Amino acid sequence: MKDLVEIRWHGRGGQGAKTASLLLADAAFNTGKYIQGFPEYGPERMGAPITAYNRISDTPIRIHSNIYEPDYVVVVDDTLLESVDVTAGLKQDGAIVINTTKGKDYLDKVLRGYKGSVYTIDAKKVSLETLGKYFPNTPMLAAIVKVASIMEEKDFLADMKGSFGHKFAKKPEVIEGNMKALELALKEVQKIQ
């Protein structure tokens, strides 16, 4: 990982993009990194487009603004690809990670000529298989950790087990499903270009 990594998340209200960005910040912090994790809201309602951000660094972060030229972009909902310019400012040597089952031809069209790396994962399939419900944020969190090499996978999984243990202390059955979702997502994310 280079010294400062900037990530922009695109999702819809209620899909957990903000939560995933905050979980990523916590996990990176627990490995000794300096972090920022924060959302940007428009109309605060279910289904409305939202943006969240992460900065992760080995040195103190002195920037306090939105991220306009991210290294990585995470798209939690592929319906945003046609209405939001998710590649705006995205560095060519970075990557975009998309929750989608759509193919390369469609993605080439909607990514507005982006020439960098494109990764996909079917977060719906992963979450339905492991959680029994559609929660795309957990698989997308694992996908960006893998693509951006933010931390060792074993360190990430260990940290998330502790985090889920705290968050879901009264629902221990949820911990196992979320851990399985992370593990499966680490295997399922794939590069398409």
Side-chain angles (χ1 to χ4, degrees):
M1 187 179 96
K2 62 184 187 176
D3 180 53
L4 175 66
V5 172
E6 294 182 311
I7 302 167
R8 186 175 65 219
W9 296 74
H10 292 278
R12 292 191 181 277
Q15 292 179 324
K18 177 186 102 170
T19 300
S21 76
L22 297 177
L23 285 169
L24 178 58
D26 285 347
F29 177 79
N30 291 335
T31 64
K33 304 284 187 193
Y34 293 89
I35 56 95
Q36 290 179 356
F38 54 98
E40 174 185 23
Y41 293 106
E44 294 184 39
R45 64 182 195 277
M46 291 289 278
I50 70 114
T51 309
Y53 304 94
N54 286 109
R55 284 191 179 93
I56 302 168
S57 179
D58 293 324
T59 58
I61 301 169
R62 309 240 185 264
I63 306 165
H64 298 283
S65 66
N66 288 350
I67 295 171
Y68 300 103
E69 294 182 351
D71 300 291
Y72 299 95
V73 166
V74 181
V75 181
V76 181
D77 186 324
D78 68 355
T79 65
L80 293 169
L81 295 172
E82 294 191 28
S83 60
V84 175
D85 185 3
V86 296
T87 60
L90 179 56
K91 295 176 182 168
Q92 296 293 324
D93 62 349
I96 187 167
V97 183
I98 306 167
N99 171 19
T100 192
T101 57
K102 297 196 168 76
K104 184 178 180 337
D105 290 342
Y106 171 80
L107 294 174
D108 284 345
K109 183 179 82 173
V110 295
L111 292 179
R112 304 172 191 221
Y114 178 67
K115 301 291 186 217
S117 298
V118 178
Y119 293 81
T120 62
I121 182 168
D122 185 350
K124 183 173 188 174
K125 179 185 124 211
V126 170
S127 65
L128 288 174
E129 188 175 311
T130 58
L131 298 165
K133 291 185 178 176
Y134 183 40
F135 295 110
N137 62 336
T138 302
M140 296 309 291
L141 171 60
I144 190 59
V145 166
K146 177 154 189 151
V147 169
S149 301
I150 291 168
M151 62 190 77
E152 294 292 325
E153 288 179 20
K154 65 178 178 42
D155 295 336
F156 168 65
L157 292 171
D159 186 79
M160 293 311 300
K161 187 169 189 173
S163 181
F164 289 151
H166 178 73
K167 183 175 182 176
F168 301 118
K170 294 185 178 175
K171 296 181 187 177
E173 68 280 1
V174 176
I175 299 168
E176 183 180 345
N178 274 284
M179 291 306 299
K180 286 181 178 175
L182 293 173
E183 291 165 5
L184 184 56
L186 288 169
K187 295 175 187 161
E188 293 278 319
V189 65
Q190 58 186 324
K191 186 174 185 177
I192 63 162
Q193 69 183 43

